[in-house]
Amino acid sequence: MWPRTILITGANRGIGFSILQALATRSPPDRYLLAARSTENGELAIRELRKLGVQAEIHVVELDVANESSIKRAEREVRKQYGRLDILINNAGIAILEKPDGSNIQESYAQTFNINITGVALMMATFLPLMKESSPDARIINLSSARASLHLSSTGNLPPSRVISYSVSKTALNALTVEYAKTEPTVALYAASPGHCKTAFNGFRGTKDPLDGSKVIVELALAEKGRYENGFWQMEGDENEASRVPW
Ligand SMILES: NC(=O)c1ccc[n+]([C@@H]2O[C@H](COP(=O)([O-])OP(=O)(O)OC[C@H]3O[C@@H](n4cnc5c(N)ncnc54)[C@H](OP(=O)(O)O)[C@@H]3O)[C@@H](O)[C@H]2O)c1
C-alpha cells in the first residue's frame, strides 16, 4: 500500500499549495505530485515547501486542466514514472467576475466551466483507469465551495453570489461528483468545502488561512478507509473530524 501517490492540481499556490504542505507534513512517506501548468512555478513552489520544512518526496507534473492533451500527457508520465495513483485532488479552479453590463457573461461562463467542470471531468476520466488498476484505496477529492450548496443558498444562509458563474460551476461540480460516485463503486468520491480562504482568488479577502482551509481535504485523504462516505464535507473551527455540508 505504501507509499501512496497523491496528485494535486493547481498546487503551486493558494489552497493547493497548502494542501500539499499539510499532507506532506502529516504523511511524509507518501509521494506527492505537484501539478502545475508552469513547471517553473511548480519548482519554485517545491523550493518554498523545502523552506517550510517539508521533506517528503515531491515531483512537479506539468498539467493544464484546460488542455486535454496536457492531461493525457500527464497521465502517461505518472503511469510510466510512478505506476500508480492513489489520491487525486482536483483543486485547480477559477472565478471570473461578471461585468455589471453583462458584456462578458459568455466568456465568464465558458472559461469557468471549462476549467471547473470540463477540466475535472477530463481529469477523472483520464486518471480513473490507472487509479483503479493500481490502488486498493483510491480517492478523488474535488474542491467545491459552500456556494455550491443549493440548500444553503436557498434558505438564506448565504448572501447573493458576487460571481454567479462560479457558484453555478461548483454546484455542477457537486453533481459531477455524485454522478461519478454512482458509476465508480470502488473509488471514494468527495466534494470538499475549504471555507473562505485568503488567497489571490479573492484578493486575499478570505477569513481563513489556506492551511486551515486544507484541513478537510487532508482529513478526507488520510482518514482510514471507509471512515467517510461519498459526500460533501467541510471542517470548521476546531472540529477534529469532517462534517457534512448539505447538497
Ligand atoms: N479561496 C477560497 O476562499 C475558496 C473557497 C472555496 C473553494 N475554493 C476553491 O479552491 C480551489 C483553489 O482556490 P485558491 O483560492 O487556492 O485559488 P488561487 O489562489 O487562485 O489558485 C488557483 C490555482 O489553480 C491553478 N489553475 C488555474 N487554472 C488552471 C489550469 N487551467 N490548469 C491548471 N491549474 C490551473 C492556478 O495556477 P497558476 O498559478 O498557473 O495560475 C493556481 O495554482 C479552487 O477550486 C477554488 O474554487 C476556494
Side-chain angles (χ1 to χ4, degrees):
M1 168 103 190
W2 297 83
R4 286 172 293 203
T5 297
I6 301 175
L7 185 147
I8 305 160
T9 64
N12 54 295
R13 61 187 173 94
I15 298 173
F17 177 92
S18 293
I19 293 169
L20 207 158
Q21 181 189 350
L23 276 173
T25 303
R26 273 270 301 278
S27 187
D30 287 324
R31 177 194 291 131
Y32 296 92
L33 304 182
L34 186 161
R37 55 183 165 173
S38 146
T39 306
E40 196 185 341
N41 288 344
E43 297 293 354
L44 282 173
I46 293 185
R47 259 178 262 154
E48 198 57 40
L49 287 162
R50 297 297 179 218
K51 281 192 215 150
L52 291 165
V54 173
Q55 292 177 354
E57 181 183 341
I58 310 173
H59 304 275
V60 174
V61 174
E62 190 179 306
L63 200 163
D64 179 346
V65 302
N67 180 332
E68 186 168 1
S69 312
S70 167
I71 294 175
K72 296 221 181 309
R73 205 166 38 242
E75 191 274 341
R76 286 195 298 274
E77 183 186 334
V78 173
R79 185 180 280 276
K80 186 166 166 225
Q81 298 284 339
Y82 314 109
R84 68 184 296 161
L85 185 63
D86 298 272
I87 303 178
L88 169 62
I89 301 176
N90 287 309
N91 164 78
I94 61 163
I96 296 178
L97 273 177
E98 290 139 38
K99 293 183 181 155
D101 66 0
S103 59
N104 71 337
I105 285 187
Q106 191 165 28
E107 178 202 345
S108 166
Y109 277 79
Q111 288 191 23
T112 303
F113 270 70
N114 194 32
I115 289 173
N116 296 5
I117 296 299
T118 312
V120 175
L122 279 170
M123 284 296 297
M124 294 199 290
T126 306
F127 280 93
L128 266 165
L130 172 61
M131 296 181 79
K132 290 192 288 186
E133 280 162 33
S134 62
S135 179
D137 185 8
R139 305 180 190 197
I140 295 179
I141 304 170
N142 293 329
L143 265 282
S144 185
S145 164
R147 288 279 172 199
S149 169
L150 291 177
H151 176 81
L152 293 178
S153 287
S154 60
T155 51
N157 287 288
L158 292 170
S161 177
R162 288 178 60 235
V163 193
I164 296 176
S165 51
Y166 171 75
S167 302
V168 173
S169 79
K170 292 297 182 180
T171 306
L173 179 69
N174 281 5
L176 188 63
T177 310
V178 169
E179 286 302 327
Y180 268 82
K182 284 191 267 182
T183 52
E184 299 296 345
T186 60
V187 179
L189 269 137
Y190 304 117
S193 169
H196 194 210
C197 299
K198 275 188 198 62
T199 65
F201 186 79
N202 49 32
F204 299 93
R205 282 190 296 269
T207 50
K208 277 170 108 171
D209 186 296
L211 267 179
D212 284 336
S214 73
K215 274 187 190 163
V216 62
I217 293 98
V218 173
E219 175 70 8
L220 294 171
L222 301 184
E224 73 274 20
K225 189 175 181 179
R227 168 76 184 80
Y228 293 103
E229 291 175 355
N230 290 339
F232 186 17
W233 297 94
Q234 67 180 357
M235 220 161 144
E236 289 302 311
D238 293 334
E239 282 178 344
N240 52 16
E241 59 180 20
S243 57
R244 281 188 185 276
V245 186
W247 295 110

